[in-house]
Amino acid sequence: MTAKRALDLTGGLALLLLFSPLAAALALSLALKDAGNGRNTCPGARVLRRRPVAGRGGVPFTLLTFRTKGPLASLPLLLHVVRGHMSLVGPCPLAPGHRESRGEGRRRLSVRPGMTGLWQVSGRSELPWEERELLDLHYVDHHWLGMDLAILARTLPAVRRRHSATRAAGRFCGPGTRVA
């Protein structure tokens, strides 16, 4: 096991244990809200959002997130980190066959996608797609454990800044959207 995988497994398990009560409460809240709307005959069916993404080596897996906005939506990603499909730090997860994972960008598939990365701590919603792609490729070419620790240390402040800015603007911008 590499040091990076040990960090992912240890950090992922610790965060999963720490946030599991919050994740359970959020899942219950979403299930009750969904059942109250009368949209589904199966209560809780719309708690998780599923989307196919390319993992390490281009192997596809189904990415799970909560059907809500904000950083809490990402809590199920910790399950992917523990299972080894994702890393705490890595390139942004993309759909299989996405244009950024072809040609020169194919090398991004040599590492696991991450919950956070250079794109996250460098102003994700304000960056043009091309810059995010360059940051991902820079990470792939130069990653090491010290860089991962630095990115992890910068992630929470970046999420807080982004959350404060979007709250002040009166709306939340999800992944891939931009504040106008």
Side-chain angles (χ1 to χ4, degrees):
M1 179 182 307
T2 66
K4 180 174 177 59
R5 180 65 188 133
L7 175 67
D8 286 343
L9 193 55
T10 305
L13 282 171
L15 290 169
L16 199 56
L17 288 172
L18 178 68
F19 290 116
S20 60
L22 181 59
L26 182 59
L28 180 62
S29 170
L30 291 170
L32 292 174
K33 180 180 174 186
D34 193 43
N37 289 338
R39 283 190 249 166
N40 277 323
T41 55
C42 178
R46 296 177 39 94
V47 170
L48 294 173
R49 179 177 290 121
R50 293 164 172 80
R51 102 179 144 100
V53 295
R56 187 175 184 183
V59 176
F61 68 95
T62 302
L63 186 83
L64 302 174
T65 56
F66 283 124
R67 286 189 177 275
T68 188
K69 295 180 178 180
L72 296 180
S74 299
L75 287 176
L77 297 181
L78 290 168
L79 295 170
H80 297 300
V81 171
V82 171
R83 291 184 67 201
H85 292 168
M86 290 184 72
S87 180
L88 290 173
V89 180
C92 181
L94 297 175
H98 191 280
R99 68 170 182 80
E100 288 182 25
S101 22
R102 287 185 250 140
E104 181 71 15
R106 178 123 181 99
R107 65 184 199 268
R108 73 183 295 130
L109 299 175
S110 65
V111 298
R112 290 178 181 92
M115 287 186 66
T116 188
L118 285 174
W119 47 272
Q120 171 85 18
V121 299
S122 301
R124 170 175 66 177
S125 61
E126 295 85 22
L127 290 177
W129 288 96
E130 298 80 18
E131 285 185 45
R132 192 195 73 207
E133 181 179 11
L134 288 173
L135 288 171
D136 278 349
L137 293 177
H138 177 80
Y139 175 83
V140 168
D141 294 340
H142 302 285
H143 72 280
W144 61 289
L145 192 58
M147 179 186 267
D148 282 9
L149 293 172
I151 291 170
L152 287 170
R154 291 175 52 195
T155 296
L156 187 57
V159 169
R160 283 185 180 160
R161 276 192 310 273
R162 189 170 144 255
H163 185 67
S164 295
T166 55
R167 181 177 279 179
R171 62 190 181 282
F172 177 82
C173 294
T177 61
R178 298 183 183 168
V179 176

